[in-house]
Amino acid sequence: IVAVNVASIRAAEELEIGVREIRTHINKFLLTGDPQHLAAVPAQRQATEFWLNRAVRLATTPREQELMTAVQEGHRHFFAEFDRLAAAENPADTRDDLEEFVESVLNDDILKPAHEYLDLNERIIEDSSRAGQALASRMVLGLLVLGTCGPMAGLLVGFVVARRISRTLVELSVPVRDAAGRLSEVVGPITLA
């Protein structure tokens, strides 16, 4: 569980980094008007798709799956609109639309659910860690009790067994002495060790 959650955290972090880099390229375009900044976005698209697909595969709880579905929808919507705006004859004319679109879709539809997915996995790891520590504490206590009570129980059982064997030997000794007493009348004195 922890390994899956760690991998989920990494996927969410890499996805967030990729989306922030896309936003940086678009912001540079909005500041400078240089279309080369928009040309860098498709390379980031592949990276974000890779980490998004990985996060989707690692989403195990219903809430994680819900968040990743929202991120996928936002990702598809963003790149469909980005492709439309980037294909315009004069990208400078689309600057206002692009700026508004980046703020609404990248932040609200991709980054927020991706960050919530990241936070959710961090909480799951913290809960697992606390549960593991509690289990370790109980095991230490159990081993301590076993280590302390085990020898005492062994001593008690040994005492009971020794007492029963001693009692059995005494019970066996009486008939043997009785038989020895009868034999001494017939055969003479017999010494028993």
Side-chain angles (χ1 to χ4, degrees):
I1 292 173
V2 172
V4 169
N5 289 116
V6 168
S8 297
I9 288 172
R10 176 154 188 246
E13 287 175 341
E14 293 292 339
L15 177 62
E16 281 188 6
I17 289 168
V19 170
R20 291 180 199 285
E21 287 181 14
I22 289 170
R23 188 171 61 188
T24 300
H25 289 300
I26 292 173
N27 285 340
K28 286 180 181 178
F29 165 75
L30 294 172
L31 289 173
T32 64
D34 185 1
Q36 286 184 345
H37 294 294
L38 292 181
V41 172
Q44 289 299 318
R45 179 182 191 170
Q46 292 175 346
T48 57
E49 284 176 352
F50 172 80
W51 290 110
L52 175 58
N53 290 333
R54 183 158 183 160
V56 167
R57 282 193 314 271
L58 294 168
T60 55
T61 66
R63 182 64 183 147
E64 287 176 317
Q65 292 168 351
E66 179 184 318
L67 290 169
M68 284 299 98
T69 300
V71 172
Q72 281 180 314
E73 290 300 317
H75 193 267
R76 274 191 224 110
H77 179 228
F78 173 78
F79 279 105
E81 189 65 21
F82 175 80
D83 292 342
R84 186 187 68 76
L85 292 173
E89 288 182 27
N90 188 2
D93 294 340
T94 62
R95 287 168 89 173
D96 291 336
D97 294 337
L98 189 59
E99 183 176 9
E100 181 181 319
F101 182 70
V102 165
E103 287 304 314
S104 66
V105 175
L106 278 184
N107 287 338
D108 298 338
D109 297 345
I110 298 176
L111 284 176
K112 283 184 183 176
H115 194 73
E116 188 176 339
Y117 174 83
L118 174 69
D119 290 342
L120 179 63
N121 279 284
E122 286 175 345
R123 280 193 305 275
I124 290 171
I125 286 177
E126 287 173 7
D127 292 344
S128 295
S129 176
R130 272 194 295 278
Q133 288 173 348
L135 177 64
S137 296
R138 285 194 302 268
M139 286 182 67
V140 165
L141 181 62
L143 290 173
L144 183 63
V145 167
L146 183 64
T148 305
C149 294
M152 288 182 201
L155 185 63
L156 182 64
V157 168
F159 178 73
V160 168
V161 168
R163 193 157 163 87
R164 284 192 181 185
I165 289 174
S166 173
R167 188 174 292 155
T168 303
L169 289 175
V170 167
E171 289 171 0
L172 180 65
S173 171
V174 170
V176 169
R177 287 180 196 257
D178 185 44
R182 288 184 195 157
L183 279 177
S184 70
E185 293 173 6
V186 176
V187 178
I190 297 175
T191 308
L192 293 175

